[in-house]
Amino acid sequence: MALGTRGKSKSAARARRHARLRKKIVGSETTPRLMVSRSAKHVFVQVIDDSKGMTLASASTMEADLRALDGDKSAKAKRVGEIVGERAKSAGIEKVVFDRGGNRFAGRVAAVAAGAREAGLEL
C-alpha cells in the first residue's frame, strides 16, 4: 500500500474529488452542467440543469451506432462529445460548465471536451 492512501479506495478518492468540485460547479438554466462519467469500457455524458434537476441532453458509448464505431475508447469518447454537443445545440444550449466528475482532465475526459467544442459548445 502506498503511503498517504490510508486504505482508501480509488473510487472513494474520486468521489471525494467530485464532491469538492461540485461545491463550485453548478449548472443553471443559462449555462447547464456537462457531466462526464466513465467506466472501464464506456463514457456517459449528460447536460444537466441543476436548478430544475433535469437532464437536457445525453449521449453514451452504449448507443447502438457508437458500439459499431471502429477505433479506440478515446475516439469513441470524442464522438460522444460531438453527439452531445449537437443535441445540446438543437436544444438551444450554447454554453456549458464542464464537470469532469472527479476524473483527471486527460484521455477520454479530455476527448469528450474536445468533441463538444468541435460541435460548437462553449466550455
Side-chain angles (χ1 to χ4, degrees):
M1 186 183 309
L3 293 174
T5 57
R6 294 184 180 87
K8 295 186 170 103
S9 67
K10 279 185 179 181
S11 61
R14 191 202 64 78
R16 279 195 319 276
R17 284 191 305 271
H18 191 211
R20 189 170 57 231
L21 280 170
R22 287 285 287 124
K23 290 178 190 175
K24 297 177 184 177
I25 298 174
V26 178
S28 65
E29 221 173 304
T30 55
T31 55
R33 177 170 56 102
L34 182 90
M35 193 267 322
V36 178
S37 177
R38 67 182 193 89
S39 68
K41 268 188 168 181
H42 297 286
V43 174
F44 310 92
V45 182
Q46 293 179 315
V47 178
I48 303 168
D49 178 3
D50 288 321
S51 62
K52 294 180 182 174
M54 289 178 52
T55 299
L56 306 172
S58 67
S60 76
T61 52
M62 298 276 290
E63 295 175 9
D65 56 336
L66 285 173
R67 280 180 173 259
L69 185 72
D70 287 335
D72 60 349
K73 291 187 277 188
S74 293
K76 289 181 180 181
K78 185 172 182 180
R79 183 67 188 129
V80 167
E82 292 169 359
I83 289 171
V84 80
E86 292 164 6
R87 291 177 183 171
K89 293 285 276 187
S90 67
I93 299 163
E94 300 288 327
K95 189 174 182 179
V96 294
V97 178
F98 192 74
D99 177 9
R100 58 190 171 89
N103 299 304
R104 289 176 48 197
F105 190 82
R108 289 185 281 161
V109 176
V112 167
R117 281 189 188 106
E118 282 184 18
L121 278 182
E122 187 181 336
L123 303 182

